[in-house]
DNA sequence: TATGAATGAGTATTCATTCAT
DNA sequence: GATGAATGAATACTCATTCAT
C-alpha cells in the first residue's frame, strides 16, 4: 500500500468510527489525509469501497485476535484467554473496533456467523470442565465479553483490572 | 398529536432504526408517512427535532420498563424481573429499541448515567443475597442483558425461553 | 407544465442542440433558464430524463408534420407535400430538429422505423403514378429530403425556393 | 508513427465514432489501447489534439476517395464514379466516416467548402450532358449520396447493389 | 519513450429547508 | 394545518492533465 493510500485509510477509519460513515463527507477524509479528494476514488472506486477495504482489514485483525484461542487445548486456558481478550485491546486500535461495532447495526455488514468458531470452542471447553449447559454457558460468556468490549472501547468501564479478576474468579481460574 | 404528525413519527422511527438517521432523507419519511415534505418541518422544525421527539418518547418507554424493577423490594424478584425484561419486549417495539441502541454510538446521544439506577438497584439486591462482589455482579448481569437485548432485537437469539430459564437457574431463581 | 419547468426545457433544447448533450453541464442549463440547478432534477430526475422529455415532444412534432401527408389521397399531392415539408420548417423550430438529427447518431436514440410510414406512403404514390421502381424512388426522395433538411437547419442551402421548384419540376408537379 | 501511438489512434477513433468525443474519457482510450493514460498526452498534448490528429488523417482519406473523380474527363464517368463512391467504402473504414459525419454537427469542425470541388466537377459534367439545371442537379446528386453514405455507415441500407444500379439507370449509365 | 500516482476543477445529483398559497 | 414548488449548499464522483521516476 502506498503512503497516501495508507493515509486515506487512517483518516477514514478515524472519521467513520467517530462521526459515522454516512456523516463523513469524502472531502473531509481527503483533507484529514492531506490528499486530493479524487485520489480516494482512484484508489477505492467508491466511498463504500473505502469502507469495505477497511472492513476487510478488520476481518483479518479479528482472526489474529481469536485464533490463539482456537488453537488452545487446555479448556481452562480457552476461557481465560477469552475473558482476557477485550482487556488486552490496545488503545490505538479502538477506532477500528468502534467501527466494527457500529457496522454491526447495518444489515449489510452484520454477519452472525463470525462468532461461531469461538462459541464452538467455548462450548467444548465448558463441556470438558463438566458444566451442565455448555452451549448456554458459552453464549453467556460471549454476551458478557461483547458488552465489556463495547464499554471498554467507549472508555466507559471503570476498574477494568478488578472486574477482569472478578470474572476469572467466577470461572475458578 | 394529530393523525399526520403521528404518521410522520412512525415512518421516521422505522426508517431511522433500520436505515440509520443520516442515511434517511426527509423526502423518504414524507413519502412513507403519506404527507408532504414541508409538513415535517412545520411539526418538528428540524430533521434533528424529529429525531429528538422520537428519542424523548424512548426515554419515557425506558422508564416504563425499568420502574417496576426499581419499586420491587424482594431482591430475588429484582433479579428475576431484570433478567426477564429483555425477553418481554414486544416485537412491535423492536424498531424503537433498535434506534436506541444505534444512537448509543453517537456521542451526542450517549448517556452513560441512564443505567445507573438499575445498576444501583441490582447491587443492593446482590448485597442482600450475600454475593461477594455485588457491584461487579450487577455490572456483569447488566452486561449480559445488554448483549441479550441486542441479539433479540436483531432476531439473532435462538431458544430464548431455554436461555432465560438457564439464566434464572444460574441465580438460583 | 409550470413556468419554470418550461424554461428549463427551452434552455436545455437550445444548449443540447448547439453545444451537444454531453458538452452541456446542468449548471449552464439552470443559469440560462434562470432557475436553481436542483430544480432540474426535481422535475426530470436525471439529465437524461430531461433529454428524454425533450425527445418525447420531438416525436409528437414529427407526427404533426408527417400526418397531413399520410392522410393525402392524391399521389401527386403526396409527393408535393413531401418535397415541401423541409422547406416549411419554421426557423423557431431549428434547434428542435437539429437536436433530432444529432441524436440519430446515438445508437440509443436512433429508430430506423420512424420513417417507415412515410416511405410506404411514397412507395404507393410512385406506384400509382406508374414509376418503374416505386420503392427505390421513395427511398431516393427520402434521401434527398433528409439531406436538404440537414442543409436547411444548418443554414447551408442557398436559393431554397428555386431548388424546391426544381425538385417539383423533376417529379412533373 | 510508433506502435503505441498507432494503438492510441485506433482506440480513440473507435470510441469517438461510436460513443462520441465528449462521452469518451481518456482513461477509456488508454485502457482500450493498452497504454498508460499519460502517454496520450505525451503524444498528442491534448485530448483535442488527438481528435485533430485523427481528423487530419480523415481529410487525407477524403481526398484519396474524391481525387479520382476530379481527374476524370468523361462526364458520364464522373457521375458513375460519384454514385459508386459511397457503395465502395470498406467496412473497416466505417468508424472513420462515422466520426466525420458526427463532427459535421460541431460548428468547429464543419467546413461547408469541403464538397465544393466535387459539386463543381458534377456541375460541369451535367452541363456537358445537356442537363437543364446542372447546378441543382449536382446539388441533388450530392444530397442523395450524403444520405446514402449515412445509411450505409449505420448499416441501415438494404439491397445496396440494386439501389446503386437503380441510380445509375436514372442517369442513363 | 512510457508509466502510474496524484491533482483540482468540474459535474451530476441529493437533501434539508423555506415559502407562497 | 397542509401542500408542493423552489432553493442553495453540500456531496459523491469524474476526468483531463501533470509530473516524478
Amino acid at each position: 500500500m502506498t503512503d497516501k493510500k495508507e493515509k486515506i485509510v487512517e483518516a477514514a477509519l478515524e472519521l467513520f468510527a467517530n462521526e459515522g460513515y454516512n456523516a463523513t463527507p469524502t472531502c473531509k477524509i481527503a483533507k484529514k489525509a492531506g490528499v486530493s479528494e479524487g485520489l480516494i476514488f482512484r484508489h477505492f472506486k467508491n466511498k463504500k469501497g473505502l469502507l469495505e477495504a477497511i472492513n476487510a482489514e478488520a476481518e483479518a485483525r479479528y482472526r489474529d485476535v481469536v485464533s490463539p484461542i482456537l488453537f488452545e487445548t487446555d479448556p481452562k486456558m480457552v476461557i481465560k484467554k477469552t475473558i482476557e481478550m477485550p482487556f488486552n485491546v490496545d488503545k490505538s486500535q479502538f477506532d477500528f473496533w468502534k467501527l466494527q461495532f457500529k457496522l454491526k447495526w447495518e444489515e449489510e455488514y452484520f454477519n452472525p456467523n463470525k462468532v461461531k468458531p469461538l462459541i464452538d470452542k467455548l462450548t467444548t471447553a465448558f463441556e470438558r470442565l463438566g458444566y451442565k449447559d455448555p452451549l448456554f454457558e458459552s453464549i453467556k460468556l460471549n454476551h458478557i465479553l461483547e458488552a465489556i468490549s463495547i464499554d471498554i472501547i467507549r472508555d466507559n468501564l471503570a476498574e477494568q483490572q478488578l472486574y477482569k479478576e472478578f470474572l476469572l474468579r467466577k470461572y475458578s481460574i
Side-chain angles (χ1 to χ4, degrees), chain A:
Chain A
M1 193 137 44
T2 66
D3 186 34
K4 299 218 168 186
K5 193 175 178 185
E6 185 59 36
K7 278 266 165 61
I8 292 170
V9 169
E10 277 168 31
L13 174 59
E14 186 178 333
L15 290 166
F16 288 168
N18 293 297
E19 330 235 306
Y21 171 74
N22 278 302
T24 304
T26 50
C27 64
K28 203 171 178 179
I29 299 171
K31 197 178 285 175
K32 183 166 205 119
V35 303
S36 70
E37 204 179 347
L39 193 59
I40 294 174
F41 298 92
R42 196 150 259 282
H43 280 307
F44 300 98
K45 181 171 176 70
N46 264 347
K47 191 184 170 188
K48 202 169 208 171
L50 173 54
L51 176 61
E52 268 152 20
I54 294 172
N55 223 26
E57 212 181 316
E59 304 260 324
R61 290 204 200 181
Y62 177 78
R63 261 177 272 127
D64 286 350
V65 168
V66 170
S67 64
I69 301 172
L70 299 182
F71 284 107
E72 183 59 62
T73 48
D74 176 8
K76 283 228 167 187
M77 283 303 287
V78 168
I79 290 161
K80 183 167 184 282
K81 283 186 169 175
T82 305
I83 289 172
E84 283 168 343
M85 179 171 50
F87 296 96
N88 290 337
V89 175
D90 193 79
K91 273 208 171 181
S92 68
Q93 311 253 314
F94 278 11
D95 280 342
F96 221 89
W97 295 104
K98 207 188 268 190
L99 182 56
Q100 286 311 107
F101 277 99
K102 275 193 178 182
L103 285 178
K104 270 199 193 172
W105 288 101
E106 319 294 315
E107 301 287 349
E108 199 178 343
Y109 293 98
F110 174 51
N111 174 15
N113 290 321
K114 209 167 148 192
V115 285
K116 192 138 192 297
L118 182 58
I119 296 275
D120 288 348
K121 188 77 185 180
L122 283 171
T123 307
T124 313
F126 281 119
E127 216 163 35
R128 292 229 189 112
L129 293 170
Y131 278 74
K132 243 189 174 168
D133 301 284
L135 176 60
F136 285 150
E137 288 287 352
S138 73
I139 290 173
K140 184 185 131 191
L141 181 53
N142 190 60
H143 275 159
I144 294 171
L145 297 174
E146 292 237 340
I148 289 174
S149 302
I150 292 172
D151 270 2
I152 288 178
I153 286 169
R154 286 196 303 203
D155 205 22
N156 194 36
L157 185 61
E159 310 202 84
Q160 295 189 18
Q161 190 57 28
L162 290 174
Y163 187 42
K164 185 176 77 184
E165 284 160 13
F166 159 76
L167 286 176
L168 290 171
R169 234 179 295 135
K170 276 281 170 182
Y171 290 96
S172 320
I173 299 168

